[in-house]
Amino acid sequence: MTVVDNEPITFDVDAAEGFLRMFHIAHPEAGPVGPRLAAMRDEIAETGTYRHTTEELAYGARIALRDSGWCTSGVPWRRLKVRDLRGFRNAAAVAGECVEHLRLAANGGEIRPLVTVFAPDTPDTPGPCIWNEQLIRYAGYGDGTGDRRYTRFTDAVQGMGWRAPATPGRFDLLPLVVETAHEGAKLFTVPPDVVREVLLEHPELPWFGQLGLRWHAVPVITNMRLTIGGITYPAAPFNSWFVGSEIGARSLADENAYGAARPVAEALGLDTSTERSLWRDRAVVELNRAVLHSFDLAEVTITDHHAESRHRLSWLRSRQRTSGNRPAFRLDPSAALRARTGGPARFSPAPSETTRPHSPGRLAELLRQRAGG
């Protein structure tokens, strides 16, 4: 039995039946559900799992994105493009299609929401997984340069062979880490020419541009697993578009990330000696204004946190009760840990794989013992 994240791969038949009933209710043109349920049960009896049709996969991914709360305001979830790449299991192929996902999603600045679904977990062959939290993340170094949230991840990929630029910068692209059961964890460089970045300036503060801040245009989330009808797709990157405060308040202002609030406050002449002056709050407002202004100026899709708050309230009022039968994007604690620390690996070696390779002499001895027995 294959073990992933120290848990065996299991299958939920009830979830499969629940999802297929849900799909057929939403798609009466697909015909009665009975024959599909019978075919699913036969397939599970023969192989231990079943395969979604293209239509079932697309519907499940759309519902998962809508119900999981990751669908930002304005995203037409019913028309969400789902890329069916379930035949891709090798690390290089997965990495290459992640880059293609980024290219398609960037779409000249008019961000296109996408989901790319790679091979699922099966009883015999687990699917690939991606360690990175997002396809585009910036390195963090021990001296405080860069994104401090990813200092340990940066250390880990350096230990795996990644080389930082000769002069490390604040916005060095981290490599993509793709892990498969048969290849282990592999590093892949994200080509800079497919990464659209927005240089940040302020609508009223001419000195702001001298801070040298920038951010990437497309948030492609890569370390959440997609579950649909009992089947788990451990690699299913998806994107909508940024909420401005995700960049300004969480990534740039936060002391544990870029810590940009303090230099902005100092440039504004604020009293940073005490938190009671609320210098941090005022700096965050200007950072958020700069992000929205710069993305609009660059004609890159973005939304603000006020519009997003209204959208989330509407979503909370209308969302379905959580159920194990409903499709969802989920983040496992182990996946969250990998995205920040660069480990542990998802695939635990089987007992036969934990032993050292036998020497030819030792193999001959074992064969003689077996023959004598």
Side-chain angles (χ1 to χ4, degrees), residues 351-362:
S352 61
E353 297 171 324
T354 59
T355 58
R356 290 189 173 188
H358 291 302
S359 67
R362 175 58 175 159

Side-chain angles (χ1 to χ4, degrees), residues 97-308:
E97 289 300 332
C98 283
V99 172
E100 179 65 8
H101 179 126
L102 181 63
R103 187 188 67 79
L104 293 171
N107 193 34
E110 188 177 349
I111 306 303
R112 178 186 297 152
L114 296 174
V115 179
T116 297
V117 184
F118 294 110
D121 284 340
T122 70
D124 298 323
T125 310
C129 78
I130 302 168
W131 288 17
N132 308 60
E133 189 172 59
Q134 290 189 25
L135 180 55
I136 305 302
R137 294 282 81 172
Y138 297 116
Y141 302 101
D143 63 359
T145 301
D147 195 333
R148 298 172 193 130
R149 294 173 296 183
Y150 302 104
T151 300
R152 293 177 66 186
F153 189 93
T154 303
D155 290 342
V157 294
Q158 285 182 308
M160 296 166 67
W162 179 68
R163 292 186 178 182
T167 304
R170 290 192 292 169
F171 298 97
D172 297 336
L173 296 174
L174 282 167
L176 191 64
V177 184
V178 181
E179 183 186 3
T180 65
H182 61 286
E183 298 168 294
K186 301 291 184 181
L187 302 185
F188 300 91
T189 299
V190 179
D193 62 308
V194 300
V195 181
R196 178 160 186 170
E197 294 179 307
V198 177
L199 303 179
L200 302 186
E201 56 183 84
H202 195 280
E204 298 168 1
L205 304 173
W207 49 262
F208 193 96
Q210 298 174 12
L211 296 174
L213 299 175
R214 64 178 188 259
W215 207 253
H216 58 97
V218 189
V220 184
I221 298 174
T222 46
N223 71 331
M224 298 185 74
R225 62 184 172 93
L226 172 61
T227 58
I228 303 174
I231 296 178
T232 295
Y233 300 94
F238 66 91
N239 73 279
S240 54
W241 43 70
F242 272 119
V243 179
S245 58
E246 293 181 60
I247 302 171
R250 296 180 188 174
S251 297
L252 295 177
D254 194 330
E255 292 290 343
N256 294 317
Y258 275 88
R262 186 174 294 276
V264 169
E266 291 172 347
L268 289 168
L270 304 179
D271 177 12
T272 60
S273 64
T274 172
E275 296 291 342
R276 291 182 67 86
S277 70
L278 301 185
W279 63 268
R280 199 181 303 275
D281 305 69
R282 295 171 66 183
V284 168
V285 168
E286 301 308 331
L287 280 164
N288 286 337
R289 290 184 67 198
V291 169
L292 294 173
H293 168 76
S294 301
F295 271 65
D296 287 345
L297 198 64
E299 298 183 331
V300 173
T301 310
I302 195 168
T303 187
D304 63 82
H305 58 282
H306 293 292
E308 194 58 26

Side-chain angles (χ1 to χ4, degrees), residues 17 19-25 30-39:
E17 293 191 0
F19 169 71
L20 291 177
R21 293 182 187 280
M22 176 181 169
F23 173 80
H24 278 258
I25 290 172
V33 70
R36 178 66 179 111
L37 291 177

